[in-house]
Amino acid sequence: MAAVHEQPAAPAHPQRSAFARRALAVAALLLFVLFAGLGTWQVFRLQWKLDLIERVDARVHADPVAPPLASQWPQVSRESDEYRRIRLSGRYLYELTTPVQALSELGAGFWLLTPFCTEEGHIVLINRGFIPSSGNIAQQYPANKAAGDPCAAAAGTPVAVTGLLRIAEPKSGFLRDNDPVNNRWYAREVGAIAAARGLDPAQVAPFFVDAGKGQDPKDAPETAVGGLTVISFPNNHLVYALTWYALALMVAAATWWVARYEARRGATDD
């Protein structure tokens, strides 16, 4: 009886196998370029953040300067001016004070934002400082409105205030909407506060000032604790960069291992 010889299994389609290897190589290259690019972008972000921290630190510790002129208000920005130490002279309009809910190192309470008539005839909102929650704040600080030009009738002894220039706080996901009708404020939104107090928007600076420690005048209706500005810039860009670069290396290593495995398998099949 004739011997029956088994036919060897047909090899996989060579064209399909080659296409799969090329597709895998292209995908690996794209992932490597993507991860390496993201890592490099984080390196640039790291340098930007370090430069920002250095600039802000220089502003905070510099000698106080005069506030921006009204002609310079349109150019005032977070990048070029925030946390700059400035010094103003003028009179407070205590009757137009706005309490803004706050959470500080002293606990829950309110910032007291009071319009300040400068010697140049402008109005700057001054965050005089923090007061704890006590009693009926809405009754203590009613939603008064200015009649005419409030600076023309500003009384009291002129005072000098040194503090940090701050950019108005916009509404964000972490802050509730301000409720001017019910005098409930959650963000230090200069334009909305000025409008609620009947102040001329052309007369009000588009920024506010965090007063320094121990500067609330003795004749103020209530002493607020100043100097509580928190200056913090999270800087995790180095960690992110290393993570992206590590992923790029993992992709490269995995590709090299697969290529080596395929080469060995091809040699064995031969």
Side-chain angles (χ1 to χ4, degrees), residues 106 111 128-131 211-214 216 223-228:
L106 300 180
W111 302 121
R128 291 164 41 212
F130 176 85
I131 61 169
K213 185 177 181 179
D216 218 20
T223 301
V225 179
L228 297 179

Side-chain angles (χ1 to χ4, degrees), residues 214-243:
Q215 295 196 54
D216 218 20
K218 295 180 179 179
D219 60 349
E222 182 174 8
T223 301
V225 179
L228 297 179
T229 305
V230 176
I231 303 176
S232 176
F233 297 97
N235 188 6
N236 299 315
H237 298 294
L238 179 59
V239 174
Y240 296 152
L242 293 176
T243 300

Side-chain angles (χ1 to χ4, degrees), residues 71-173:
S71 59
Q72 299 172 319
W73 288 353
Q75 286 75 47
V76 173
S77 68
R78 195 178 305 278
E79 291 74 17
S80 62
D81 298 285
E82 187 153 39
Y83 301 112
R84 189 179 304 282
R85 289 187 73 207
I86 62 175
R87 185 176 179 84
L88 310 92
S89 296
R91 292 178 171 87
Y92 278 112
L93 301 173
Y94 293 115
E95 68 278 6
L96 300 179
T97 295
T98 299
V100 181
Q101 287 196 14
L103 184 63
S104 75
E105 62 185 58
L106 300 180
F110 296 85
W111 302 121
L112 294 184
L113 267 68
T114 303
F116 187 83
C117 295
T118 68
E119 294 178 343
E120 294 76 23
H122 304 134
I123 296 178
V124 177
L125 286 184
I126 304 290
N127 176 17
R128 291 164 41 212
F130 176 85
I131 61 169
S133 299
S134 61
N136 190 336
I137 296 297
Q139 185 176 2
Q140 296 177 38
Y141 296 95
N144 296 327
K145 285 198 172 187
D149 181 3
C151 292
T157 304
V159 297
V161 179
T162 299
L164 301 177
L165 186 151
R166 302 293 310 278
I167 303 300
E169 291 178 338
K171 169 68 173 63
S172 73

